[in-house]
Amino acid sequence: MTKRIFLKLILTLIGLFIVAALGVDYFVTRMAETNLRRGLEDGLKEQARLAVAVLRGRPAESSPEVVGEIAEAAGARLTLIRSDGAVVADSEADPATMENHATRPEFAAALAGGVGVSTRLSSTVGAEFLYVAISSKDGALRLALPLSEIRAQTREIRGRIIGVTLLAFIPAVFLAFWLAQRLSARLSQIMSFSRDLARGDFQTPVPAFSGGELGELSLTLQTTADRLRSMFEQLQEERSRFAAAVNGIGAGVLVMDRERRAIVCNPAMRRMFPNENLTVGDRPFTASHRDIARLFDKVFIQGTSDSVDLSVSEPVKRTWKVSCATIGGAAGEVQAAVAVFYDITELEETERVRRDFVTNVSHELRTPLASIQGYAETLLDGAVDDPEHNRRFLQIIRQNAERLAQLSSDLMTLSQIEVRARDYEFGPVAVNDLLTQASDSIRALTDKKRVSVRVERLRVSTEVECDSDSLYQVLMNLLENAANYTPQGGAITLGARREDDEVEFYVRDTGVGIASQHIPRLFERFYRVDKARSRELGGTGLGLAIVKHLVLAHEGSVRVESEVGRGSTFYVRIPLQRSRRAVAMDAVSGAGDK
């Protein structure tokens, strides 16, 4: 870059020098020639007047030697012309052979009473002459001098000028070379700095030039760079905030221009539509879901906001609420459109669970209440005095009341767990002690049903940080379910094993088992595999839901493996030590309660 700038500058300066030299040569030569000619004319005029004075009273044709002497003294050709234009005498030619000069411009001007001057090619001598004519007594006297002398003097002057110019041109070239090299280096630095600014590199120092226009340019560039850096940093900060906001929200965001090219697409959008080509770039976006394309087309055509609900069933069933709005340009036209995808699958699922919960609670309450109401009315109608039936009716009323009380208690427990209103007292508890306590508590039920219980304890004493009452309730719910669904003569195994920093409890039975289609919903509230048998056994349908929420409160997980006719195994895995985050949340919750 520096060499190219230097070459352009030096060639420009040399060209300017050459043009200046040619101009000086032209104008000085013309000026010198003009001055020489003017001086020559003035000299010839004076000599012509002197010649007229010398020849006054002497006939020229009688004294030709006088004409030659005067011409030699004047250093010019002398010609005497009568008033009719005939040549009387000439210092260099025979007058008889010369043509009439009446039409010569200098002769005509001299006869008019003035001094005639002209320049032309002499037909007699064949050279270009300067003619000066002055009137005399019988006609006119003319002196002529060849212009070759003037041109010789002009050439001499021109040669001197060229020599002087060349002598001045050599140091001027060196000076131009130095200036061009210095200026090109500075311009190269400025251009390099400008390119760095264009690339967004603000770390390059501004070239410092002291004084002059380049110094002012350096200060201007420094100010411009500082402003650009400030604006760029501000834009970067705003862009980072925007990107963080867009990428951090759970809703999917998709911005497309009028050519249907994706401009912005956040990670949530890509997670929602893993099969779509959501690459941001120059390629048009082709949505496999027709409703998305139709929504953008409608917004671009109408220029107004719109919304639509989208649903897909592959690979899993999902539902979105999509709101699409326009982005206007400076002229008011629609430049782009932004669509926000809200995943409402969980909301719809929550609404479904809520409806099922209301329905199930209503159903669970209606059955015992109807039974209580029916038997109470029977007793009031006179059965209370019937010793054969009144006690049985009262026993049924009592059983249904106990079922209502159990249902109310389970609902209260579940509600406290879900809203985190239950108080947990976490502390180290021996795993084997929990297994012994739970197995001892279930033996009354298992002995009554003639189901054996086996406990597989840990070989090494291990403690787990937990709320002992909650974990005991988890194991008891699982054991009661196992006992209720294990036929007479079956077996239940309660045990635990340690895996790294976790302990896994398991309850295995040889009962009826659970079909695979029921397992995903097994821990939902009021969900029953066999509703008739569950009610017959007095179950509320909330036991496994309570188990799931209590395990989650311990940062654990619960799963089940089952095969119809061969029994089921429930696994509960919880960490040996609670995480710092859980401890901090408990501290905050405790402070809030106070």
Side-chain angles (χ1 to χ4, degrees):
M1 179 61 70
T2 303
K3 292 181 178 180
R4 189 164 67 249
I5 296 176
F6 168 76
L7 192 60
K8 290 181 179 180
L9 287 174
I10 193 64
L11 290 178
T12 301
L13 291 175
I14 292 175
L16 289 175
F17 287 151
I18 293 175
V19 171
L22 291 176
V24 169
D25 174 68
Y26 175 76
F27 287 109
V28 171
T29 301
R30 291 289 301 275
M31 187 180 297
E33 186 176 358
T34 301
N35 291 334
L36 288 173
R37 179 174 295 187
R38 186 179 295 117
L40 189 61
E41 289 178 5
D42 294 341
L44 289 177
K45 289 177 182 179
E46 292 296 328
Q47 292 174 359
R49 290 189 183 96
L50 290 174
V52 169
V54 171
L55 294 174
R56 182 177 295 127
R58 294 182 183 182
E61 57 272 23
S62 61
S63 53
E65 66 280 0
V66 175
V67 173
E69 291 175 359
I70 294 175
E72 184 179 357
R77 179 183 176 182
L78 175 62
T79 304
L80 296 178
I81 308 170
R82 285 201 308 259
S83 58
D84 59 357
V87 177
V88 176
D90 189 271
S91 61
E92 295 183 5
D94 185 4
T97 60
M98 298 176 65
E99 59 185 13
N100 192 283
H101 284 33
T103 57
R104 299 293 191 269
E106 68 277 5
F107 176 72
L111 289 181
V115 177
V117 179
S118 68
T119 302
R120 68 177 181 277
L121 185 67
S122 173
S123 60
T124 304
V125 180
E128 190 174 11
F129 278 80
L130 172 65
Y131 296 96
V132 175
I134 188 171
S135 62
S136 62
K137 180 179 179 181
D138 297 326
L141 182 147
R142 187 183 71 180
L143 290 176
L145 191 65
L147 291 179
S148 58
E149 294 184 9
I150 296 178
R151 291 193 174 90
Q153 295 180 20
T154 302
R155 283 193 297 271
E156 183 180 357
I157 294 173
R158 187 177 183 185
R160 292 178 180 178
I161 292 173
I162 292 175
V164 172
T165 302
L166 288 176
L167 289 176
F169 185 74
I170 294 174
V173 168
F174 284 104
L175 179 62
F177 182 88
W178 178 75
L179 289 175
Q181 189 177 30
R182 184 180 181 186
L183 186 60
S184 63
R186 294 188 174 188
L187 290 177
S188 179
Q189 292 178 8
I190 293 174
M191 294 177 66
S192 177
F193 176 75
S194 301
R195 284 195 301 270
D196 292 337
L197 282 184
R199 288 195 300 266
D201 181 10
F202 302 106
Q203 303 301 322
T204 304
V206 180
F209 307 123
S210 58
E213 287 74 11
L214 287 179
E216 294 182 5
L217 178 59
S218 177
L219 294 177
T220 303
L221 287 175
Q222 179 64 60
T223 304
T224 303
D226 292 340
R227 291 181 179 178
L228 284 176
R229 183 187 300 110
S230 177
M231 294 174 61
F232 184 77
E233 290 175 353
Q234 184 177 358
L235 288 174
Q236 285 289 92
E237 184 178 356
E238 293 178 356
R239 183 176 181 180
S240 298
R241 291 177 181 175
F242 173 76
V246 172
N247 295 333
I249 62 177
V253 177
L254 177 62
V255 181
M256 285 202 301
D257 59 13
R258 297 191 65 89
E259 285 71 30
R260 308 305 191 268
R261 293 174 299 192
I263 302 175
V264 177
C265 181
N266 67 342
M269 184 68 187
R270 293 188 174 92
R271 288 193 299 268
M272 290 179 181
F273 297 91
N275 297 327
E276 297 284 358
N277 181 17
L278 296 173
T279 303
V280 176
D282 296 331
R283 297 180 59 186
F285 167 70
T286 55
S288 60
H289 202 294
R290 295 181 180 178
D291 289 339
I292 298 178
R294 280 198 291 263
L295 177 62
F296 276 100
D297 291 340
K298 184 177 180 180
V299 169
F300 277 121
I301 294 173
Q302 297 182 354
T304 57
S305 302
D306 199 1
S307 61
V308 67
D309 291 341
L310 301 179
S311 297
V312 295
S313 56
E314 297 293 339
V316 293
K317 186 176 181 180
R318 309 296 296 179
T319 303
W320 295 276
K321 180 75 173 180
V322 185
S323 298
C324 190
T326 59
I327 299 176
E333 71 278 6
V334 178
Q335 294 291 337
V338 54
V340 182
F341 292 72
Y342 302 95
D343 192 341
I344 59 175
T345 306
E346 301 299 332
L347 292 177
E348 289 194 342
E349 181 64 19
T350 301
E351 180 62 21
R352 183 192 65 79
V353 172
R354 186 192 65 82
R355 290 194 302 266
D356 292 346
F357 175 77
V358 173
T359 302
N360 290 327
V361 168
S362 301
H363 185 72
E364 293 295 332
L365 292 175
R366 184 173 63 247
T367 301
L369 286 175
S371 179
I372 292 173
Q373 180 180 4
Y375 283 105
E377 289 176 354
T378 302
L379 290 172
L380 290 174
D381 288 341
V384 68
D385 298 324
D386 185 356
E388 294 184 4
H389 299 91
N390 54 10
R391 293 186 63 83
R392 185 172 63 85
F393 291 166
L394 290 173
Q395 184 67 28
I396 294 174
I397 291 174
R398 178 183 177 182
Q399 291 175 354
N400 283 280
E402 290 176 351
R403 182 178 176 187
L404 286 175
Q406 182 64 41
L407 179 61
S408 176
S409 176
D410 288 347
L411 286 173
M412 183 63 70
T413 300
L414 186 60
S415 176
Q416 290 176 344
I417 296 172
E418 288 182 339
V419 300
R420 297 184 179 180
R422 178 164 178 163
D423 294 329
Y424 298 97
E425 295 182 3
F426 288 91
V429 178
V431 173
N432 288 337
D433 292 347
L434 279 173
L435 296 178
T436 300
Q437 183 182 2
S439 61
D440 291 343
S441 300
I442 200 63
R443 288 198 184 275
L445 177 60
T446 55
D447 291 345
K448 181 180 179 180
K449 297 194 63 174
R450 297 182 183 179
V451 175
S452 63
V453 178
R454 185 162 64 96
V455 181
E456 296 179 351
R457 295 177 175 83
L458 295 176
R459 295 181 179 179
V460 179
S461 179
T462 302
E463 290 185 344
V464 60
E465 187 178 2
C466 66
D467 179 73
S468 59
D469 292 339
S470 298
L471 196 53
Y472 170 76
Q473 186 176 358
V474 168
L475 296 178
M476 286 303 300
N477 283 358
L478 295 178
L479 288 171
E480 287 177 1
N481 277 353
N484 289 331
Y485 291 96
T486 301
Q488 188 176 7
I492 298 175
T493 302
L494 172 64
R497 55 173 170 259
R498 179 172 177 176
E499 295 184 1
D500 297 330
D501 295 332
E502 295 180 326
V503 61
E504 185 176 66
F505 297 89
Y506 54 89
V507 177
R508 185 181 302 113
D509 62 59
T510 58
V512 296
I514 305 169
S516 59
Q517 67 269 22
H518 297 293
I519 291 179
R521 299 187 60 187
L522 200 59
F523 294 93
E524 292 182 9
R525 291 172 293 187
F526 295 111
Y527 188 81
R528 295 185 179 92
V529 176
D530 188 346
K531 296 182 180 181
R533 184 173 183 183
S534 177
R535 291 194 181 94
E536 180 183 347
L537 295 172
T540 62
L542 298 174
L544 291 180
I546 293 174
V547 168
K548 182 186 74 171
H549 285 83
L550 288 176
V551 172
L552 291 177
H554 285 73
E555 299 180 283
S557 61
V558 58
R559 61 187 178 91
V560 59
E561 295 177 358
S562 183
E563 186 177 350
V564 177
R566 303 191 64 177
S568 305
T569 303
F570 286 81
Y571 298 92
V572 173
R573 182 187 292 263
I574 61 173
L576 293 175
Q577 297 290 332
R578 302 177 67 222
S579 66
R580 294 181 180 179
R581 178 175 176 272
V583 174
M585 290 181 64
D586 286 348
V588 173
S589 177
D593 293 341
K594 293 179 181 180

